[in-house]
Amino acid sequence: MSHSSDLIATDIDAYLAEHERKDLLRLLTCGSVDDGKSTLIGRLLHDSNMVYADHLQALEADSAVMGSAGDKLDLALLMDGLKAEREQGITIDVAYRYFSTQRRKFIIADTPGHEQYTRNMVTGASTAQLAIVMVDARHGVMQQTKRHTTIASLLGIRHVVVAINKMDLVDWSQATFEQIKKDYEVFTDNLDGTIEPYFLPMSALLGDNVVISSEEMPWFDGPPLMEHLETVDVTEAADLAHFRMPVQLVTRPDLDFRGFAGTIASGTVAPGDRVTAVPSGASATVERIVTFDGDLDLAGPDQAVTLTLDREIDVSRGDVFIGSGDDQDMLRAHRVDATLVWMSETSMAPGKQYLLQSATGRSNASVSAIRYRLDINTLEQEETSRLELNDIARCAVSVDRELLFDPYSQNRMTGSFILIDRLTNATVAGGMIVGPSSHWDTQAPDTLQRRRSEITPEERAERYGQRPATVLLTGLTGAGKRSIATALERMLFDAGRATMRLDGQNVRSGVSRDLGFTPPERSENVRRVAEVARLVNAQGMIAIAVLLAPEAEDRERMAGLIGAERYVEVFVDTPLEVCRQRDPGGLYSALDAGTVLDIPGVTSDYDRPTSPDLVTSDHGSSPEAAAAQIMALLADRGFISS
């Protein structure tokens, strides 16, 4: 009788206490279809005596009726619980099994091999610490093997067992094993992740190198799978320094208790520790760490706890507790770069609105740019305008509510999210945040240095007979900005001036073609136009920017980027009812029909300029008359001669 059996028979409390102290390993099996994933898990459970007698009897009966292992037990049936799975002999959904040995507890996820169920594999991998990548020794490294390995790497899984299965069907060939090992290493050398593979030849059907070492492969001297799973160290990657706990629930069962419940993402916490709630920045001291089994003196990653504090502070669901004085603060952004795994059969095109759900709450979101798609076979970066099922891509994601996060490489819980279809409520993508995307406060890397032209501004002014300036025409949709800009450009050109017109629609067709129309994306569009205008001014020319630019803060930043001495703000102040009558491009009609979601000044705010350089309109006069006013202003400011 084993030590555990002795304890169960003599002291059940001691057994439970010993069991509670065992560490937990979460793992998954993945790989191409029919590589033997379900059979492997069934073999692990069977040979470790983890299958109950009545379950074993049912398995024997099922194997005779629908088994695919000849006269042997079809151990895959232990995992393939769905009727459709048993009929087809495949895995469709993610199947989880819990078991334990004297050394460790395990939660194992059997994930599908079929390409159309890759999204299920992502689900299983999202919490795994170790991946078993199955490879059929007859077929070698397949496309799905590469896809699952890439996803495991992106999801931060370092420990990978490359289980080269069905060695009995290749006569236990060491040469076959070595070739597959070489092919896999060549592929993973190009991955950005830090995968640590353990190559293991086996036969899941026969049990070789699963729980007991194989006598058929004396050339392999590594431990069998079970021994490796019991001894592999997966704790070194845990972040114990930076405390993070997203608040999932504020509990108030009575007047005397107010607690904040959540699962600790990283770091540790103890009574007496000072914690800060973000984004509010309010701090307090932890009084108790409450759990169902009683209070704790210390809590760490993956533990679900409720914290009580020494004073009342404003904390809501979606806020995050961090350690006070933490040298690694959480990041905030309206736009992030992230790696997406597209899980929907409906393709994704930039600009479509989704819901983004992360550990810190839910917000409206859109994929504003696809930087590149990853070729699964070569790991090369490909250009694309949309994502299809199972595509993996680096994208820019914009949200309307400031996102609170850590990079995924530092924290898997606070650095991940899912995208949800707003109509069907289906999950369409899983995302891993790389960091903030380009925005107003982005700083150039230290290695970049601004290059100055050898032609001086004075030389350009003498050549063109003008001083550089940027004229921003801002106003509501339909205010007449474009007509006035057209007239202004003609007047400047006829006067022999050097100009460049930056029309919002033209910019949207080129420089900003990747942006949608959410507030952060509108802000980014203004920033890009300001950057181009600054380059235009540096060449001595006058830039005419035609933008709605609804936020005063964006216009102020534009002025700061270009330089107040060169910035001219013209407010085209046309009544809204006139703008509606003009209805350029049918936008107002589309809004009334419900096919356009937002027009600033109607459905969202437009910050009227409080101190523009000029207020004008073509309503009641003409675009030429308004342009003449701007020409007079430019002459008065000394940008052009009278």
Side-chain angles (χ1 to χ4, degrees):
M1 183 176 283
S2 68
H3 170 69
S4 295
S5 299
D6 289 338
L7 279 179
I8 291 175
T10 59
D11 192 342
I12 186 63
D13 291 333
Y15 167 77
L16 292 174
E18 179 186 84
H19 183 74
E20 187 67 28
R21 287 192 295 269
K22 296 176 187 175
D23 66 322
L24 175 67
L25 175 66
R26 291 185 173 91
L27 65 146
L28 81 153
T29 58
C30 55
S32 189
V33 64
D34 202 30
D35 280 346
K37 297 178 291 298
S38 299
T39 301
L40 173 63
I41 300 175
R43 175 59 67 183
L44 269 176
L45 297 174
H46 179 271
D47 289 7
S48 301
N49 298 318
M50 299 294 169
V51 183
Y52 292 113
D54 58 340
H55 199 172
L56 193 59
Q57 291 175 356
L59 179 65
E60 291 173 351
D62 289 342
S63 296
V65 175
M66 59 185 69
S68 58
D71 57 354
K72 302 182 180 67
L73 281 177
D74 188 353
L75 297 172
L77 297 178
L78 284 172
M79 298 301 292
D80 291 338
L82 298 178
K83 182 179 180 181
E85 293 177 324
R86 293 187 169 212
E87 290 174 347
Q88 299 178 57
I90 64 170
T91 299
I92 296 175
D93 202 356
V94 183
Y96 293 93
R97 286 295 182 271
Y98 171 87
F99 67 99
S100 69
T101 65
Q102 289 189 15
R103 296 184 182 181
R104 180 172 262 171
K105 295 178 291 186
F106 301 91
I107 296 177
I108 189 165
D110 182 21
T111 62
H114 280 69
E115 187 172 327
Q116 71 187 96
Y117 300 121
T118 298
R119 55 184 175 268
N120 302 51
M121 179 267 168
V122 176
T123 301
S126 61
T127 58
Q129 300 160 293
L130 179 145
I132 302 175
V133 179
M134 302 292 292
V135 179
D136 190 324
R138 299 169 299 171
H139 304 142
V141 177
M142 306 287 287
Q143 184 183 54
Q144 193 72 331
T145 312
K146 295 177 180 179
R147 177 178 282 111
H148 285 182
T149 299
T150 302
I151 293 173
S153 175
L154 292 172
L155 288 170
I157 301 176
R158 290 181 54 190
H159 299 279
V160 173
V161 176
V162 185
I164 302 173
N165 190 30
K166 305 187 182 181
M167 289 295 294
D168 54 310
L169 301 182
V170 294
D171 296 326
W172 315 103
S173 169
Q174 182 178 2
T176 300
F177 169 78
E178 295 294 344
Q179 183 59 51
I180 294 173
K181 177 181 177 182
K182 180 180 177 181
D183 292 343
Y184 191 88
E185 288 176 330
V186 168
F187 172 74
T188 55
D189 281 345
N190 297 320
L191 283 175
D192 292 334
T194 54
I195 280 183
E196 298 178 1
Y198 173 58
F199 295 93
L200 179 64
M202 65 163 55
S203 170
L205 183 64
L206 302 180
D208 290 73
N209 274 346
V210 178
V211 175
I212 302 172
S213 295
S214 173
E215 296 180 356
E216 302 288 349
M217 295 177 284
W219 43 267
F220 180 78
D221 58 1
L225 179 62
M226 179 59 83
E227 183 178 342
H228 178 76
L229 296 180
E230 287 184 319
T231 58
V232 63
D233 184 8
V234 295
T235 60
E236 78 284 353
D239 180 2
L240 301 178
H242 304 101
F243 178 63
R244 301 282 191 271
M245 193 191 91
V247 176
Q248 297 168 320
L249 181 67
V250 180
T251 62
R252 196 74 184 260
D254 55 56
L255 295 176
D256 299 323
F257 185 93
R258 183 168 183 252
F260 305 96
T263 299
I264 298 175
S266 64
T268 59
V269 65
D273 286 353
R274 194 81 174 164
V275 295
T276 299
V278 289
S280 70
S283 296
T285 299
V286 176
E287 279 194 332
R288 297 172 57 196
I289 304 175
V290 182
T291 72
F292 179 79
D293 296 317
D295 287 12
L296 301 179
D297 295 326
L298 182 71
D302 296 329
Q303 286 187 276
V305 298
T306 298
L307 303 183
T308 65
L309 306 178
D310 68 333
R311 69 186 190 92
E312 297 283 346
I313 61 174
D314 184 15
V315 180
S316 304
R317 181 178 180 180
D319 292 352
V320 182
F321 282 125
I322 68 172
S324 294
D326 197 329
D327 61 350
Q328 183 178 302
D329 200 0
M330 294 189 75
L331 301 175
R332 309 179 192 188
H334 281 286
R335 179 179 161 99
V336 296
D337 272 354
T339 299
L340 289 186
V341 181
W342 194 251
M343 305 179 189
S344 174
E345 294 180 0
T346 302
S347 61
M348 187 283 294
K352 182 177 179 180
Q353 295 292 309
Y354 299 98
L355 294 175
L356 183 148
Q357 179 69 58
S358 70
T360 58
R362 177 173 288 196
S363 56
N364 297 311
S366 65
V367 179
S368 50
I370 303 175
R371 308 232 185 265
Y372 60 82
R373 178 176 58 197
L374 204 61
D375 184 300
I376 291 300
N377 291 309
T378 65
L379 297 180
E380 292 181 353
Q381 300 174 5
E382 303 175 330
E383 290 189 7
T384 184
S385 60
R386 59 201 312 115
L387 297 182
E388 306 292 346
L389 178 65
N390 297 329
D391 278 349
I392 300 172
R394 175 69 61 84
C395 302
V397 179
S398 299
V399 293
D400 63 349
R401 172 180 173 268
E402 190 174 53
L403 195 61
L404 192 65
F405 65 94
D406 293 298
Y408 186 84
S409 59
Q410 298 174 12
N411 195 309
R412 292 172 69 174
M413 183 181 293
T414 58
S416 60
F417 62 84
I418 58 173
L419 293 180
I420 303 168
D421 187 281
R422 297 167 64 94
L423 296 179
T424 65
N425 210 37
T427 299
V428 296
M432 291 75 74
I433 300 174
V434 177
S437 187
S438 58
H439 51 77
W440 283 101
D441 300 320
T442 298
Q443 299 294 322
D446 295 337
T447 55
L448 298 182
Q449 297 180 355
R450 191 174 296 279
R451 302 301 183 185
R452 298 187 179 278
S453 173
E454 293 184 1
I455 303 172
T456 66
E458 291 73 23
E459 289 178 291
R460 296 184 190 277
E462 183 177 354
R463 169 67 61 87
Y464 297 137
Q466 65 186 34
R467 286 175 45 229
T470 293
V471 180
L472 171 66
L473 285 88
T474 177
L476 298 177
T477 300
K481 302 185 295 295
R482 187 163 295 106
S483 300
I484 296 172
T486 300
L488 176 62
E489 183 182 28
R490 169 53 67 181
M491 289 181 181
L492 287 169
F493 181 80
D494 289 346
R497 309 306 179 193
T499 68
M500 178 176 286
R501 180 176 162 194
L502 302 172
D503 189 282
Q505 291 206 7
N506 294 341
V507 170
R508 286 282 188 176
S509 300
V511 173
S512 296
R513 66 186 298 178
D514 60 315
L515 297 179
F517 292 89
T518 63
E521 290 172 301
R522 289 186 186 276
S523 177
E524 170 63 10
N525 183 54
V526 175
R527 185 195 71 82
R528 294 184 187 182
V529 171
E531 291 283 4
V532 174
R534 182 168 68 168
L535 294 175
V536 169
N537 291 167
Q539 300 303 308
M541 294 188 289
I542 296 173
I544 305 170
V546 185
L547 293 174
L548 199 155
E551 295 189 15
E553 186 178 5
D554 289 342
R555 299 193 295 267
E556 291 171 6
R557 287 169 173 164
M558 184 176 188
L561 189 61
I562 291 170
E565 72 283 356
R566 293 181 174 179
Y567 178 73
V568 179
E569 186 172 285
V570 177
F571 176 33
V572 183
D573 188 13
T574 303
L576 177 59
E577 58 271 18
V578 175
C579 297
R580 276 187 171 275
Q581 290 171 4
R582 292 175 174 178
D583 198 11
L587 287 176
Y588 288 102
S589 299
L591 179 66
D592 294 338
T595 56
V596 169
L597 297 178
D598 177 49
I599 297 180
V602 182
T603 57
S604 60
D605 292 337
Y606 172 81
D607 298 334
R608 291 173 60 89
T610 55
S611 55
D613 296 288
L614 176 67
V615 178
T616 189
S617 175
D618 63 348
H619 175 57
S621 59
S622 67
E624 289 73 21
Q629 290 181 289
I630 301 173
M631 290 287 287
L633 176 62
L634 293 176
D636 185 59
R637 295 269 294 267
F639 293 114
I640 59 176
S641 58
S642 302

